[in-house]
Amino acid sequence: MYRVHCINNIAKVGTDALGEQFALTDNASQADAILVRSANLHEMDFSNKLLAIARAGAGVNNIPLERCAEQGVVVFNTPGANANGVKELVIAGMLLAARDIRGGIEWVNRHSDDPQVGVLAEKAKNRFAGTELAGKTLGVIGLGAIGAMVANAGRSLGMHVMGYDPYLSVKYAWSLDRHVRHVNDLKDIWANADYITIHIPATDATRGIISRKAIAAMKDDVVVLNYARDVLVDERAMAEALQEGHVSHYMTDFANANSTQMPRAIVTPHLGASTKEAEDNCAIMAANEIRDYLENGNITNSVNYGTVDLGPITTPMRLAVFHKNVPGVIGQITSAISAAGVNIENMTDKSMGDNAYSLLDLSGVIDDSIESTLMDVDGIYRVRVIHGKFA
């Protein structure tokens, strides 16, 4: 029986997907896995029992990835599970910026008690008319699960779409509308886009990507949309650009002391991935990742270890080894198994940066001493023994 601790509310459809071999626990120190959404885990102590953390969402800046890697704790996320919900909010943001819908609604509310409101509305409507999205240029920074969907939606709305992503995967490249123009320099987006939307993770390299210099290079009356992470935008520079009228609107999903005070900023309270469908999709994906890893040792959508998949266990024993990505470690692993008199029927190894993960199917069962033997090898973080149905 595996035990799972939920931090934040995780949709029941997700926890139900764990299956009969899993039980929920309120005690984090007894958990084999943690399911989390937005809670900050950087100050949390992890027990030696903890094997995995699954984030029901895409961003993982609330999880200490390197510390987890060095403890052999796999961190999963759920890319694409909430993409449609975020995409729809981005489209809503563009429409709110293009047409002064908010101003029009506020006007109607102020005049709702006037019997002549209909007549007055006909006279007042021109001040809220705005412009159409069709024919405008949309610049999409980041063409992953969300960005690709936003780019395609922009094309469906009749927009010219430019996309920037130096790490564009084959999967998402194939999913893009053929009329989306891929550019290799952000300067092309700054100079040409009427709407600029960001869909990249927050890293040391991307913080402040919408900088003072970038904003200065943008077209007058540009609309900037940030439904990714607040730290991607230099908020002081954005406030000044809005005040000066260089930026028409700043649409963001991150309410803070800066964004809520900006003129012509429309701020929503982190609604992007908060639809029922998105929360259900994220919970189910996270649960499936946890289940496959704990039962079979397979890793999918990990952010601190590479993808490894040997399918369901069909041998008496499977050995999972977390180690530094240095020469000689795999040789010592296989030598130890050979010395125990057991054959390796199948194996795979995948590295990610300084860390690596080896998964080996064995023809027989080795006693528990194999764990201590391997843990004596310099560079090995953790060893897991997973018994198959033939054990």
Side-chain angles (χ1 to χ4, degrees), residues 126-143:
N126 285 343
R127 74 181 77 165
F128 311 115
T131 59
E132 296 181 9
L133 296 179
K136 304 302 188 297
T137 298
L138 170 65
V140 183
I141 302 173
L143 294 169

Side-chain angles (χ1 to χ4, degrees), residues 2 30 45 50 65 70-71 76 84 97 105 110 112 120 146 160 206 218 252 255 324 343 346 354 359 366 388:
Y2 295 107
Q30 296 300 313
D45 291 327
L50 185 66
L65 302 183
E70 292 174 356
Q71 295 179 13
F76 299 92
N84 190 69
I105 292 171
R110 289 196 303 272
S112 60
L120 295 173
I146 297 172
H160 306 292
T206 61
M218 295 176 188
T252 181
K324 290 182 181 178
N343 288 328
N346 196 9
D354 295 331
L359 196 61
I366 305 175

Side-chain angles (χ1 to χ4, degrees), residues 70-314:
E70 292 174 356
Q71 295 179 13
V73 176
V74 184
V75 179
F76 299 92
N77 68 347
T78 57
N82 58 12
N84 190 69
V86 178
K87 176 208 74 177
E88 291 185 358
L89 190 61
V90 173
I91 300 305
M94 288 198 291
L95 290 168
L96 286 168
R99 309 287 295 275
D100 189 7
I101 298 169
R102 183 177 66 167
I105 292 171
E106 291 173 349
W107 184 94
V108 170
N109 287 337
R110 289 196 303 272
H111 295 81
S112 60
D113 293 334
D114 192 325
Q116 299 299 312
V117 63
V119 176
L120 295 173
E122 288 300 316
K123 296 178 180 179
K125 68 181 182 180
N126 285 343
R127 74 181 77 165
F128 311 115
T131 59
E132 296 181 9
L133 296 179
K136 304 302 188 297
T137 298
L138 170 65
V140 183
I141 302 173
L143 294 169
I146 297 172
M149 293 182 74
V150 170
N152 290 343
R155 284 293 306 149
S156 297
L157 291 168
M159 304 182 80
H160 306 292
V161 181
M162 309 169 66
Y164 172 83
D165 192 333
Y167 308 105
L168 179 61
S169 71
V170 173
K171 173 183 176 181
Y172 293 118
W174 276 107
S175 74
L176 285 171
D177 183 292
R178 66 185 181 89
H179 292 102
V180 173
R181 183 160 71 92
H182 187 254
V183 298
N184 297 315
D185 195 328
L186 280 171
K187 292 178 182 177
D188 292 331
I189 288 181
W190 305 151
N192 295 288
D194 302 295
Y195 294 81
I196 297 174
T197 181
I198 326 166
H199 301 288
I200 54 178
T203 67
D204 291 340
T206 61
R207 290 176 188 273
I209 192 170
I210 304 296
S211 62
R212 185 178 301 276
K213 182 178 179 180
I215 292 171
M218 295 176 188
K219 294 173 64 173
D220 284 337
D221 293 325
V222 67
V223 174
V224 178
L225 303 103
N226 179 12
Y227 294 89
R229 287 290 181 269
D230 54 356
V231 296
L232 298 174
V233 174
D234 181 337
E235 292 187 326
R236 179 176 296 181
M238 179 59 67
E240 292 174 4
L242 288 164
Q243 187 67 47
E244 295 164 358
H246 176 56
V247 174
S248 172
H249 288 86
Y250 178 50
M251 318 298 293
T252 181
D253 206 20
F254 306 101
N256 59 45
N258 296 319
S259 63
T260 55
Q261 299 302 310
M262 294 180 188
R264 294 192 314 284
I266 298 181
V267 186
T268 45
H270 207 184
L271 299 178
S274 296
T275 65
K276 181 182 185 303
E277 294 87 348
E279 291 183 359
D280 286 354
N281 290 340
C282 286
I284 292 170
M285 184 182 288
N288 287 337
E289 292 164 349
I290 288 288
R291 181 174 181 175
D292 194 24
Y293 171 64
L294 292 183
E295 292 183 344
N296 298 303
N298 297 321
I299 295 178
T300 306
N301 296 326
S302 171
V303 293
N304 63 348
Y305 280 99
T307 297
V308 171
D309 188 354
L310 288 182
I313 300 176
T314 58

Side-chain angles (χ1 to χ4, degrees), residues 342-361:
V342 173
N343 288 328
I344 298 172
E345 294 199 358
N346 196 9
M347 72 171 290
T348 184
D349 178 86
K350 186 70 173 179
S351 62
M352 179 180 283
D354 295 331
N355 306 308
Y357 178 65
S358 299
L359 196 61
L360 306 95
D361 278 336

